[in-house]
Amino acid sequence: MLKLPGLIDPHVHLREPGATHKEDFDSGTSAALAGGFTTVLAMPNTKPPIFDLETLDIALNAAKQKARCDYGQYVGAGPDNADWGNNKSLPLRVAGLKMYLDSTFGELRLDDMTLWQPHFENWPKNISIVAHSESRTMAAAILFAAIYDRSVHIAHISLKEEVLLIKAAKERGIKVTCEVCPHHLFLNNEDLPPPNPPPNSTNLGEGKGGGRKEVRPRLATKEDVNALWQNMDVIDCFATDHAPHTIEEKDSDNPPPGFPGLETALPLLLNAVSESRLTIPDLIAKMYTNPKKMFNLPDQPETWVEVDEGAVYEIKAANQFTRCNWTPFEGWKVKGKVRKVVLRGVTAFEDGKILVEQGFGRDVRR
Ligand code: NCD
Ligand code: ZN
């Protein structure tokens, strides 16, 4: 039996408020515990999006009542909520500021760089800015960090050009950190069925299930995937970007992007350890030590995860707590299973069962 610290996932979408048919703080934090995570940081692209004190209260009240593991909530950067200097209490109550600099699921997006500027200028330097930025937008986000002499965390990097640029920026002392998602390490753009064909296509076989491949950033090439593995030392942390959409939505004509990931991340990464592609110290650094420091998260005394390193099993959506009812890793055989999770002295998960009530989870900023 291997003992790990309570893991941290700094990037999840729990869909509350507004889309609780996909997930909510109850099902999402149950999925987290089953996956070995005792802290999750929730993204603000909900309905409504979380962008001021009023919407923050909606999310935090729901979390307080329903979360079974510890949580933090991000606030989203919008076109007219950058007066953080006049609103000093809000940054202290959130996990960080999320900036959507490229298009993705939800309404929060800052197209124009003049809209980025006041956020970089006004957001407190000791609280995280997390950027959804891809390729050249990522380069621009790093330039903003350098100009405003503050840190920026780049979400879900997936490309060779991204990991190499971050490496070069770090070598020059720019305060940039980054995360990578298991799906960008274990899948490439040839692995899942192609996206839905155009409406006039006669190839019906392609359409069924094609939307399941949709995720932002998109799955990348084998060369990109190899570059992430080869530059593992540049990657500060793993994050699932758990982005559940129901299987009906994924198989519809207009499939939203996103994969669930909370319950598959640790088994996939432990499997990589069993294949000597990763080490346990790597795993602890990227799923506990580094994110704890980067997001300034509190200690969780008497908290640990027990893993059966030798247990081989098949990933099945039917066994998951996430409400979305599918996984891109269906049928994958992995070695390494979460047996037990103890959070603040209480057994929260054991042998497939959640043992703590809704409301057991605590706000990391309280
Ligand atoms: C995310 C979602 O569904 O909220 N989708 C995704 O493909 N990752 C949005 C996001 O993180 O970009
Ligand atoms: Zn995301």
Side-chain angles (χ1 to χ4, degrees):
M1 205 63 85
L2 167 73
K3 205 169 156 183
L4 297 173
L7 303 179
I8 296 161
D9 188 347
H11 190 152
V12 300
H13 299 266
L14 300 185
R15 307 303 188 204
E16 189 158 10
T20 53
H21 67 288
K22 299 176 198 266
E23 203 78 290
D24 68 0
F25 278 101
D26 173 14
S27 61
T29 55
S30 298
L33 287 169
F37 296 100
T38 54
T39 305
V40 291
L41 303 183
M43 286 296 166
N45 63 333
T46 46
K47 268 190 196 148
I50 309 309
F51 68 97
D52 60 8
L53 279 173
E54 195 185 333
T55 47
L56 179 64
D57 277 337
I58 297 174
L60 288 181
N61 283 336
K64 189 177 180 185
Q65 284 169 37
K66 295 164 86 171
R68 296 178 198 252
C69 73
D70 294 354
Y71 57 87
Q73 172 67 50
Y74 286 96
V75 65
D80 38 44
N81 68 344
D83 56 341
W84 304 115
N86 299 320
N87 188 359
K88 289 201 168 68
S89 70
L90 192 146
L92 300 173
R93 295 179 58 199
V94 300
L97 176 71
K98 178 68 183 285
M99 299 184 70
Y100 286 92
L101 308 180
D102 281 303
S103 66
T104 185
F105 182 72
E107 309 160 21
L108 287 166
R109 181 163 136 210
L110 300 173
D111 282 320
D112 189 321
M113 279 193 282
T114 58
L115 299 174
W116 306 11
Q117 226 164 334
H119 288 291
F120 271 90
E121 219 165 87
N122 299 340
W123 187 255
K125 284 195 179 180
N126 57 345
I127 305 177
S128 301
I129 290 183
V130 176
H132 177 128
S133 60
E134 303 180 28
S135 186
R136 292 168 198 195
T137 323
M138 187 205 77
I142 294 174
L143 179 63
F144 269 73
I147 290 172
Y148 289 99
D149 188 29
R150 61 150 302 135
S151 65
V152 67
H153 177 70
I154 308 294
H156 42 50
I157 67 163
S158 63
L159 304 176
K160 181 178 181 177
E161 61 177 29
E162 292 171 347
V163 74
L164 294 183
L165 188 70
I166 289 174
K167 182 173 191 235
K170 284 184 172 189
E171 283 165 3
R172 283 155 185 80
I174 296 175
K175 297 183 206 77
V176 55
T177 55
C178 68
E179 67 190 30
V180 72
C181 305
H183 52 265
H184 291 125
L185 288 174
F186 296 106
L187 296 171
N188 64 62
N189 58 8
E190 294 168 21
D191 280 334
L192 288 173
N196 284 327
N200 57 358
S201 167
T202 50
N203 187 350
L204 296 174
E206 252 189 356
K208 182 132 177 65
R212 295 189 201 182
K213 184 177 184 165
E214 290 297 331
V215 66
R216 297 293 175 276
R218 290 181 171 83
L219 296 178
T221 66
K222 280 183 194 147
E223 194 187 339
D224 290 310
V225 173
N226 289 339
L228 296 179
W229 281 102
Q230 278 158 15
N231 291 283
M232 203 39 92
D233 57 324
V234 179
I235 293 159
D236 297 278
C237 60
F238 295 136
T240 64
D241 191 12
H242 178 78
H245 299 284
T246 66
I247 194 161
E248 293 77 18
E249 290 164 340
K250 293 298 281 181
D251 287 347
S252 72
D253 291 338
N254 192 14
F259 293 166
L262 278 167
E263 289 159 274
T264 46
L266 183 58
L268 290 166
L269 292 163
L270 286 168
N271 193 63
V273 171
S274 80
E275 292 171 348
S276 307
R277 302 176 76 190
L278 210 64
T279 66
I280 292 292
D282 281 342
L283 207 139
I284 293 173
K286 295 182 203 306
M287 301 179 91
Y288 174 70
T289 323
N290 296 349
K292 183 168 188 285
K293 199 169 150 203
M294 286 154 52
F295 294 95
N296 192 20
L297 299 173
D299 289 329
Q300 292 174 317
E302 286 186 80
T303 297
W304 70 88
V305 176
E306 289 175 25
V307 159
D308 185 345
E309 282 176 286
V312 175
Y313 72 104
E314 222 175 87
I315 292 173
K316 286 202 181 95
N319 296 334
Q320 297 198 137
F321 287 89
T322 174
R323 207 161 270 164
C324 72
N325 238 337
W326 80 286
T327 161
F329 302 103
E330 183 76 30
W332 282 40
K333 231 185 207 166
V334 286
K335 190 171 181 181
K337 192 169 184 136
V338 180
R339 286 281 175 219
K340 184 172 172 174
V341 178
V342 177
L343 174 52
R344 285 181 264 105
V346 178
T347 301
F349 173 87
E350 191 166 21
D351 291 327
K353 292 196 179 64
I354 299 291
L355 301 174
V356 285
E357 298 299 315
Q358 295 188 46
F360 181 74
R362 284 192 195 164
D363 185 341
V364 296
R365 296 296 183 239
R366 277 269 153 197

